Amino acid sequence: LEILVTILNENDNSPVFAQPNLTRDVPEDTKVNTTIVAREEVSGSDADLDTIYYELTTTVQDTDGYFATRGANNPEIYLQKPLDYDKFNSTMLLLYARDRPVTSPDPTNMATATITITIKQSDTRAPWFLPCTRLHNDTSICISSPYSGRVNISEMSTDPLLLEPGPIYAVDPDYTISDRIVYSIVGGNTDEVFSVDADTGNLTMNKIVTSPDSFLLQVMATQVSNIRKYSVATVEIKVINKSNFPPYFEKGVYNGTVFVGLPRRSFVYQAGDPSIPLVITAMDQDFPDV
C-alpha cells in the first residue's frame, strides 16, 4: 500500500525584523521624498514565506504625517513633508510587519520595529537684529524696528553712539548652531563719518559733521561661516545743534480770565485785559532767534 503524505504550511510563525531598533539623525533641511531608512534595513522576514504587509505610525503628538513608507509591501521610510526644528526635534516611529493585510479577518502574526528620529537644526535662517517681534507667533520670523540716534553738529564724539531702541545687535536664530556675527556699514555713510565695530556692532564717529543733514545708514550683519546668510538694518542718525541750556518760561506765574458759559476750546484771556488772549511762552538760550 503506497501512502502519499502532503504537509500543509501552517501560519505559526511571526514576521521578524533583523534590526528591531534603529536610530536616525535627520537634518532639518532634508528634501521631501528623501529616503530616511533604506528598504533592506527595515524589511522583515517570515519563516512561513507569507507576504508581509507594513504599517508606519508615530508615538509623538503633532509629528504624524512627516514620515511614511513607500507602500504596503515596501517598508522603505521617506520624508513626506518639510521639517521644522522649532516645531519638533525628535519623534519615535513604530513599523508594524504583518503576515496578513490590516483588514484581513484571518488570524495575524505581527512584529514591531522602533525607529527613533532626531532632527538636527540646519543653517536655514539669516541673522535677526534685536529687539524684534515675532510675526503671528511664528517662531521662524522676527521683525526688527529701525535704529535711531543723534549727534551734535561740529562736535566729535569718541564714545559709541547711544541708539534707540538699543545698541546694534544681531543673533543667529538657528540657536544650536549660533554662528558668530560680524557687522559692516554697506550704505548711507556719506564722507565715511561713521564706522561700526565688526565684532560688537558699536557705532562710532570718524570725524565731525558739518552739515545738518541726517544720515540713513545701512548696517549689515553677516554670519562668519556663511556670508550668504545676512540681514540689513536701517540706522537713522539725526544731526542737531548742541543744547547747553534748558528752556525757561518768560514769567514764573501767568494769570488768566475765563467767562462763564463759554463753549469748549474758547480762549483764556489775560487777567485785567479781557481783550488779549493769554499766551504762555518759553525761551531757550541755545536758540535765541526762535
Side-chain angles (χ1 to χ4, degrees), residues 51-109:
T51 300
I52 298 179
Y53 300 86
Y54 298 94
E55 180 187 9
L56 187 68
T57 64
T58 180
T59 63
V60 180
Q61 187 177 5
D62 298 327
T63 63
D64 190 34
Y66 285 90
F67 301 92
T69 56
R70 296 290 184 183
N73 303 118
N74 183 352
E76 180 177 284
I77 299 174
Y78 71 99
L79 183 65
Q80 190 169 236
K81 64 181 183 180
L83 297 170
D84 186 343
Y85 184 85
D86 291 322
K87 291 182 178 179
F88 72 97
N89 53 39
S90 66
T91 187
M92 182 177 290
L93 307 176
L94 296 180
L95 181 64
Y96 299 100
R98 297 181 174 90
D99 55 12
R100 295 290 185 271
V102 176
T103 57
S104 174
D106 299 330
T108 302
N109 296 312

Side-chain angles (χ1 to χ4, degrees), residues 52-276:
I52 298 179
Y53 300 86
Y54 298 94
E55 180 187 9
L56 187 68
T57 64
T58 180
T59 63
V60 180
Q61 187 177 5
D62 298 327
T63 63
D64 190 34
Y66 285 90
F67 301 92
T69 56
R70 296 290 184 183
N73 303 118
N74 183 352
E76 180 177 284
I77 299 174
Y78 71 99
L79 183 65
Q80 190 169 236
K81 64 181 183 180
L83 297 170
D84 186 343
Y85 184 85
D86 291 322
K87 291 182 178 179
F88 72 97
N89 53 39
S90 66
T91 187
M92 182 177 290
L93 307 176
L94 296 180
L95 181 64
Y96 299 100
R98 297 181 174 90
D99 55 12
R100 295 290 185 271
V102 176
T103 57
S104 174
D106 299 330
T108 302
N109 296 312
M110 184 174 65
T112 305
T114 302
I115 302 97
T116 302
I117 302 290
T118 302
I119 311 301
K120 296 297 184 181
Q121 191 171 40
S122 300
D123 191 9
T124 59
R125 293 176 290 190
W128 288 351
F129 281 97
L130 300 182
C132 64
T133 303
R134 298 188 187 279
L135 187 63
H136 308 308
N137 295 321
D138 188 339
T139 58
S140 63
I141 302 175
C142 204
I143 307 299
S144 61
S145 300
Y147 296 94
S148 62
R150 59 186 184 181
V151 296
N152 295 322
I153 194 169
S154 301
E155 183 174 314
M156 180 73 176
S157 174
T158 57
D159 296 325
L161 301 184
L162 297 178
L163 303 176
E164 294 292 341
I168 297 172
Y169 182 61
V171 297
D172 181 359
D174 300 313
Y175 52 87
T176 63
I177 299 174
S178 192
D179 198 1
R180 188 166 69 90
I181 305 297
V182 294
Y183 306 90
S184 61
I185 299 176
V186 294
N189 194 14
T190 306
D191 296 330
E192 302 296 322
V193 172
F194 301 98
S195 62
V196 65
D197 188 286
D199 295 316
T200 65
N202 286 335
L203 191 65
T204 54
M205 297 182 69
N206 298 323
K207 61 181 73 171
I208 63 172
V209 181
T210 58
S211 169
D213 297 333
S214 297
F215 292 81
L216 199 61
L217 305 177
Q218 303 294 318
V219 176
M220 182 169 69
T222 309
Q223 292 181 203
V224 170
S225 64
N226 187 354
I227 61 173
R228 294 184 179 182
K229 291 290 189 296
Y230 67 89
S231 295
V232 177
T234 300
V235 184
E236 182 183 15
I237 303 297
K238 294 182 178 180
V239 181
I240 62 173
N241 290 315
K242 185 176 181 180
S243 179
N244 295 312
F245 303 97
Y248 63 92
F249 289 103
E250 289 184 308
K251 298 179 181 179
V253 177
Y254 290 83
N255 296 309
T257 299
V258 295
F259 299 98
V260 176
L262 290 178
R264 293 175 60 187
R265 302 171 102 41
S266 296
F267 284 119
V268 176
Y269 293 92
Q270 292 185 13
D273 191 348
S275 63
I276 302 176

